[in-house]
């Protein structure tokens, strides 16, 4: 069928084999006669946060207690991110620092997984210079963690399981969710877009979608358990397709689940953000009126080099359509400055797009060369200082726009979901608007987890401030 991707599921027997390894590790651990601890440090995007919930789930199943203290940990896992060089440097710095915890506890197992474990150059570095790391596996081998851990604990050698036969979907992995109000719900994995600058398609493999029923069942369970804010996750959610259901239909189906909750999703690719998607959002009362729609660059030449599949004009048309259907929609975006060969005029096109688009918020990144990507072969003429100047000009422009957009909330009474606490602070509650803007609130902690009417009193360029109207 045209446009439908292969969605290969890991066979039940394979999942059962992992369950047996979980049993084996648990029994081995019990013989030690003391409580063992597992530590998971997560870097990068929500997909990684969600993967860490699976790592914690498997650890818990194997008898480990989750700790936030790496010194106490019998197993310390770094779930890493490869998106930009500074993310990589931070991870490697922290990996290096674990040499001290390992020295204090020779039996500690240090695990290096996540996207950086899918970058051959980084794996070589770990092999040669980070001898305290005992187990390495990339994201697509995550479901095999119990087997790999068992191999590490029973063997004498360091384990590098960096080959993945093919990219598959694994259902039935235990989960240890971090929160009780907001939940991640992965709907698809991988990416086939091959944007020229991006390492994700190389480290997370080909796109594949979970079966609709598995997603709906999980959503129903979340709603029954009291979760109020469900984020559908995928590197490119709009190309979700399990062979029967596309992404707009999936939103409508989740919207039909009874209960009081919000549906969010990320990340969207502009080329797949269709009229049908916007209609599904507009017509589904539980769909949050927010879209994060990275535009990356304003110049059509750069967009073409980036292999993005749209132009400045078609991007702006899409957001105009979205706003026609949902006048209050919050639109946020990502942009990269200093792509190889980007000229001053081309950068001005980016400024022009930002001016026209009037995003509520925008994340600005300086281009970072990633090994193996197409852009890494292109010559990069701008200096770091020149890129920094561009970065600041863009930030200044966006801050002005965000300031203005946020100011417009002042005096308004709106419904928010109180989703966090900041005890002892001037604003002890944290909340999100329907469109996902952060609100710092005064009010009673008993509002936590509830949709609550608040009055916005003031704002800055990043968040809103307000008070709960009635407790
Ligand atoms: N350099 C800089 N920014 C990047 N992003 C992805 N790859 C790179 C890179 N090589 C940004 C994009 C993407 C966001 C998650 O990270 O803007 O939308
Ligand atoms: Fe990277 Fe593009 Fe995939 Fe986003 S959609 S992860 S930018 S390749």
């Amino acid at each position: 069928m045209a446009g439908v991707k292969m969605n290969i599921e890991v066979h039940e027997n394979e999942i059962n084999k992992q369950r047996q390894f979980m049993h084996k590790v648990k029994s081995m651990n019990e013989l030690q006669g003391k409580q063992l601890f597992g530590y998971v440090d997560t870097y990068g995007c929500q997909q990684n946060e969600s993967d860490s919930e699976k790592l914690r789930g498997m650890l818990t199943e194997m008898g480990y207690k989750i700790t936030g203290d790496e010194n106490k940990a019998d197993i310390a896992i770094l779930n890493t991110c490869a998106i930009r060089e500074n993310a990589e440097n931070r991870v490697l710095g922290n990996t290096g620092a674990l040499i001290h915890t390992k020295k204090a506890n020779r039996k500690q197992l240090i695990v290096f997984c996540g996207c950086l474990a899918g970058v051959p150059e980084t794996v070589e570095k770990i092999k040669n210079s980070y001898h305290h790391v005992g187990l390495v596996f990339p994201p697509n081998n995550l479901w095999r963690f119990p087997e790999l851990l068992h191999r590490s604990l029973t063997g004498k050698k360091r384990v590098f399981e960096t080959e993945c036969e093919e990219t598959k979907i694994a259902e039935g992995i235990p989960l240890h969710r971090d929160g009780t109000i907001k939940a991640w719900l992965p709907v698809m994995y991988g990416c086939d877009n091959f944007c020229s600058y991006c390492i994700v398609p190389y480290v997370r493999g080909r796109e594949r979608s979970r079966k609709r029923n598995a997603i709906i069942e999980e959503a129903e369970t979340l709603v029954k358990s009291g979760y109020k804010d469900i984020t559908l996750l995928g590197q490119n959610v709009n190309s979700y397709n399990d062979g029967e259901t596309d992404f707009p239909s999936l939103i409508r189906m989740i919207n039909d689940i009874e209960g009081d909750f919000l549906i969010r999703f990320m990340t969207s690719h502009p080329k797949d953000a269709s009229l049908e998607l916007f209609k599904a959002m507009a017509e589904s009362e539980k769909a949050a009126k927010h879209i994060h729609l990275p535009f990356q660059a304003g110049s059509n030449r750069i967009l073409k080099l980036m292999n993005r599949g749209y132009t400045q004009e078609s991007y702006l048309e899409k957001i105009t359509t979205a706003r026609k259907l949902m006048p209050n929609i919050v639109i946020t975006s990502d942009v990269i400055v200093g792509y190889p060969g980007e000229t001053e005029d081309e950068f001005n096109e980016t400024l022009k797009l930002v001016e026209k688009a009037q995003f509520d918020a925008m994340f600005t990144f300086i281009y970072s060369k990633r090994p193996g990507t197409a852009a890494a072969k292109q010559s990069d003429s701008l200096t770091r200082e020149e890129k920094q100047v561009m970065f600041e000009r863009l930030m200044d422009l966006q801050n002005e726009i965000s300031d203005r957009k946020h100011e417009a909330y002042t005096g308004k009474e709106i419904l928010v979901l109180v989703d966090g606490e900041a005890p002892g602070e001037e604003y002890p509650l944290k909340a999100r608007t329907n469109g996902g803007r952060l609100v710092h609130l005064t009010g009673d902690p008993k509002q936590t987890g509830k949709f609550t009417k608040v009055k916005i009193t003031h704002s800055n360029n990043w968040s809103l401030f307000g008070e709960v109207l009635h407790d």
Side-chain angles (χ1 to χ4, degrees):
M1 214 193 311
V4 174
K5 316 267 159 131
M6 290 289 283
N7 298 311
I8 309 158
E9 268 191 40
V10 175
H11 196 277
E12 219 183 301
N13 292 346
E14 287 289 324
I15 299 285
N16 283 336
K17 201 170 112 190
Q18 297 304 318
R19 287 215 182 91
Q20 285 162 14
F21 278 114
M22 286 196 259
H23 271 296
K24 280 189 197 166
V25 173
K26 190 172 185 190
S27 310
M28 277 167 49
N29 285 344
E30 276 166 3
L31 287 179
Q32 295 200 36
K34 59 170 186 179
Q35 178 64 58
L36 297 181
F37 291 91
Y39 165 84
V40 184
D41 194 9
T42 313
Y43 298 80
C45 67
Q46 291 84 356
Q47 186 59 57
N48 254 19
E49 300 274 350
S50 166
D51 284 350
S52 283
E53 294 187 336
K54 289 182 183 155
L55 288 165
R56 291 196 185 95
M58 291 187 269
L59 283 172
T60 308
E61 199 85 3
M62 291 185 279
Y64 292 91
K65 202 165 178 176
I66 304 302
T67 172
D69 178 2
E70 66 268 39
N71 296 300
K72 202 166 147 186
D74 297 279
I75 169 164
I77 306 182
L78 294 130
N79 191 10
T80 67
C81 169
I83 198 92
R84 282 172 293 275
E85 200 181 350
N86 52 8
E88 170 159 6
N89 291 340
R90 203 157 68 86
V91 171
L92 291 179
N94 291 347
T95 309
L98 286 180
I99 200 156
H100 304 294
T101 59
K102 174 90 182 168
K103 262 194 192 136
N105 172 9
R106 302 301 300 170
K107 282 198 180 148
Q108 185 180 55
L109 175 67
I110 296 171
V111 182
F112 190 94
C113 63
C115 291
L116 275 173
V119 182
E121 289 83 349
T122 310
V123 171
E124 263 323 283
K125 258 190 222 165
I126 297 292
K127 223 177 233 166
N128 299 329
S129 314
Y130 294 78
H131 296 276
H132 56 296
V133 172
L135 169 59
V136 178
F137 60 87
N140 293 337
N141 274 340
L142 182 108
W143 63 275
R144 294 179 55 216
F145 173 53
E147 174 187 351
L148 301 176
L149 176 58
H150 182 264
R151 201 187 300 163
S152 292
L153 295 176
T154 52
K156 286 204 164 57
K157 284 198 191 136
R158 301 165 80 198
V159 176
F160 283 76
E161 192 77 350
T162 49
E163 294 298 319
C164 309
E165 292 158 42
E166 52 193 330
T167 44
K168 294 185 189 173
I169 300 222
E171 293 290 352
I173 298 178
L175 265 184
H176 184 283
R177 290 195 190 271
D178 293 337
T180 52
I181 303 163
K182 295 196 281 193
W184 308 123
L185 176 41
V187 300
M188 55 88 66
Y189 303 94
C191 182
D192 287 352
N193 287 322
F194 290 95
C195 302
S196 62
Y197 50 83
C198 186
I199 201 160
V200 170
Y202 301 91
V203 293
R204 287 206 174 258
R206 300 289 57 78
E207 276 180 11
R208 62 258 186 224
S209 299
R210 290 179 71 190
K211 289 244 166 64
R212 171 186 79 195
N213 289 349
I215 298 168
I216 292 177
E217 263 172 41
E218 194 170 332
E220 282 170 345
T221 309
L222 287 170
V223 173
K224 276 200 198 106
S225 323
Y227 285 90
K228 295 280 184 281
D229 183 313
I230 299 175
T231 303
L232 311 180
L233 283 185
Q235 242 67 42
N236 187 8
V237 275
N238 303 146
S239 63
Y240 172 85
N241 198 321
D242 71 346
E244 288 177 57
T245 312
D246 62 8
F247 193 62
S249 316
L250 185 69
I251 293 184
R252 291 182 193 274
M253 287 172 187
I254 299 178
N255 187 62
D256 286 341
I257 297 174
E258 242 173 79
D260 197 12
F261 66 99
L262 280 174
I263 308 165
R264 302 187 186 278
F265 56 86
M266 71 187 322
T267 291
S268 296
H269 191 303
K271 79 174 166 49
D272 302 313
S274 59
L275 177 61
E276 202 24 66
L277 171 74
F278 296 136
K279 280 190 181 156
M281 285 175 79
E283 291 163 16
S284 303
E285 74 281 3
K286 290 165 194 155
K289 302 303 178 264
H290 170 213
I291 190 160
H292 183 65
L293 202 60
F295 74 95
Q296 312 297 8
S299 139
N300 288 343
R301 187 187 78 94
I302 298 289
L303 285 171
K304 194 151 192 214
L305 283 177
M306 286 178 163
N307 191 29
R308 290 291 288 175
Y310 56 86
T311 58
Q312 170 171 166
E313 295 74 23
S314 65
Y315 180 88
L316 289 169
E317 255 167 50
K318 291 224 169 167
I319 63 174
T320 305
T321 307
R323 284 183 172 134
K324 250 188 214 136
L325 289 169
M326 296 166 277
N328 290 325
I329 190 171
V330 166
I331 303 180
T332 55
S333 199
D334 291 342
V335 59
I336 298 175
V337 297
Y339 185 82
E342 189 176 36
T343 64
E344 179 76 24
D345 280 352
E346 286 166 339
F347 173 66
N348 286 334
E349 289 291 307
T350 294
L351 291 174
K352 197 168 97 192
L353 189 152
V354 171
E355 188 70 66
K356 285 189 177 162
Q358 295 286 305
F359 298 117
D360 294 77
M362 184 175 79
F363 299 89
T364 308
F365 304 104
I366 291 180
Y367 169 76
S368 167
K369 184 173 171 176
R370 300 284 68 210
T373 59
K377 297 181 201 85
Q378 293 161 18
S379 67
D380 192 355
S381 52
L382 295 170
T383 63
R384 179 80 204 182
E385 290 68 34
E386 285 168 321
K387 291 186 186 185
Q388 190 63 33
V389 171
M390 291 155 91
F391 176 85
E392 277 162 25
R393 276 182 71 190
L394 253 180
M395 289 270 280
D396 288 346
L397 173 60
Q398 182 56 45
N399 282 344
E400 247 177 66
I401 298 171
S402 295
D403 251 335
R404 218 177 316 124
K405 289 240 165 187
H406 286 165
E407 248 169 50
Y409 287 84
T410 303
K412 290 211 169 118
E413 293 181 6
I414 55 172
L415 196 65
V416 300
L417 173 63
V418 182
D419 60 7
E421 293 178 23
E425 301 213 353
E426 192 183 346
Y427 294 89
L429 299 181
K430 286 186 191 167
R432 292 271 167 185
T433 66
N434 179 289
R437 306 315 299 143
L438 174 64
V439 193
H440 298 283
L441 287 174
T442 55
D444 197 303
K446 71 174 190 278
Q447 294 299 326
T448 307
K450 291 188 186 151
F451 288 102
T452 308
K453 209 50 180 311
V454 302
K455 183 168 181 167
I456 303 300
T457 51
H458 60 291
S459 66
N460 60 25
N461 62 38
W462 198 246
S463 49
L464 310 173
F465 296 82
E467 59 205 20
V468 173
L469 278 180
H470 38 78
D471 283 5

